[in-house]
């Protein structure tokens, strides 16, 4: 197994452990909604500290349920991942295209150099060709 394969396997095991450990140990079982986001946790903490706190801003759109909010967040994450993947794909494609173009130019230069090496010394023309 190559070094990269070992590292990738280790990373996959770590990600799986991060996902499974909270479920196995029952972390969050004491809460009404055990896996709420950080925004909800912060809102709860703020209202416990200062019940009269008024937010500076209000949301432009308030989803009717937590499931819709989660779906919109997942959609936003998917769009962001798609944009990043597209950018890196285009960048890699350009790099590969440039490398192929350089290889092609070097191959043409090598064939031109080989053709010049086979020219007649006096005329500068390739053997079997007449100079016009």
């Amino acid at each position: 197994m190559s070094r990269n394969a070992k590292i990738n396997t280790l990373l996959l095991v770590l990600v799986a452990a991060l996902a499974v450990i909270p479920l196995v140990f029952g972390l969050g079982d004491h809460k009404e909604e055990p896996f709420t986001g950080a925004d909800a946790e912060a809102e709860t903490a703020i209202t416990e500290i200062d019940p009269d706190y008024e937010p500076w801003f209000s949301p432009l759109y308030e989803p009717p349920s937590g499931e819709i909010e989660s779906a919109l967040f997942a959609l936003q994450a998917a769009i962001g991942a798609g944009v990043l993947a597209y950018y890196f794909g285009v960048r890699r494609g350009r790099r590969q295209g440039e490398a192929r173009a350089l290889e092609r130019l070097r191959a043409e230069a090598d064939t031109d150099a080989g053709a010049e090496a086979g020219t007649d010394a006096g005329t500068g023309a390739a053997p079997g060709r007449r100079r016009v």
Side-chain angles (χ1 to χ4, degrees), residues 50-109:
D50 184 11
D52 297 330
Y53 175 77
E54 299 236 358
W56 294 359
F57 301 100
S58 62
L60 297 175
Y61 170 71
E62 189 74 33
S65 70
E67 290 82 14
I68 295 176
E69 186 175 355
S70 294
L72 289 174
F73 180 76
L75 177 66
Q76 176 185 0
I79 290 171
V83 168
L84 283 175
Y86 176 78
Y87 169 75
F88 286 120
V90 166
R91 194 169 160 198
R92 182 175 182 193
R94 283 184 184 165
R95 211 174 318 126
Q96 286 177 345
E98 289 172 357
R100 287 181 187 144
L102 282 174
E103 287 176 16
R104 197 176 312 125
L105 286 174
R106 287 181 185 144
E108 288 175 3

